[in-house]
Amino acid sequence: MIIDVHAHWGPWFFTMDVADSTLATMDRYGIDRAIVSATEAVIYDAPAGNRALAAYLESRDRLLGYVTVNPRRLREAEADLRAYLPGGRFVGVKIHTDYTGSPVGSARLREALTLVAETGRPALVHTWGASVLGLAEVCLDVPGLRVIAGHMGADGFRHAIEAANACDRLYLEPCWSHAPAGRIAEVVAGVDPAQLLFGTDATLIDPSSAFGAVAAAGLSGQTAERIAWRNATALFQL
């Protein structure tokens, strides 16, 4: 069983014909379930993208959704959280700090994550470099908040280790367009295995990148199983 907690649905603004390839990509790599955000919602219009994804998910059992939230449009965010989370097809929230111009340390992001905490659902938040340390601070300050550090800080993965150790409600997923030797193994050795998840960034990045990086870490059976699906099942109550 493999659950991808960081995936996408819909076309990108690059010259890439991947708008309808989410399920085909999952089949190619043996991914059983994926939690996806609408590309339109992430990079352009959150309400429109969430609405389109909700319609798409009605007939796709292998896919679950993230309600994408723009911290600069909190009134719309509140409406979408109320509209989509209770239905069961959306199991978490997605916030991209860069596309929305809402850095981890901003008041806007903190307010958005406070709204998320009230729903009881986890949030996948884009992190890069040392920003993952700031995300841990917000997580500690907001009661009940559970966050996934998307890309686990990318080149700031050592900061991600510190962040996860500071807050047991912060989870790490590994996808990144680079794969430095030893990155996954170092994180696994330094973090509670209950805080580790698997994500690919498909369809923006081919899943072979994440699969190869995790495989190169030479993980034990139990740890590999936790990362592949057990931790995601518990976090998202699947």
Side-chain angles (χ1 to χ4, degrees), residues 136-178:
E137 291 180 6
V138 176
C139 192
L140 288 168
D141 289 344
V142 178
L145 176 64
R146 294 173 297 159
V147 292
I148 304 165
H151 314 292
M152 61 185 193
D155 59 352
F157 64 93
R158 292 189 176 98
H159 297 306
I161 295 172
E162 182 180 348
N165 286 325
C167 180
D168 63 3
R169 289 179 282 114
L170 185 145
Y171 298 78
L172 306 178
E173 68 83 15
C175 66
W176 187 23
S177 54
H178 300 273

Side-chain angles (χ1 to χ4, degrees), residues 115-132:
L115 285 177
V116 174
E118 293 170 358
T119 71
R121 299 289 187 172
L124 170 62
V125 180
H126 177 85
T127 63
W128 214 265
S131 67
V132 66

Side-chain angles (χ1 to χ4, degrees), residues 10 23-24 28 61 90 100 134 152 156 179 189 194 206-207 211:
L23 289 169
R28 181 179 180 187
D61 292 340
F90 288 81
T100 62
M152 61 185 193
D206 190 282
F211 272 103

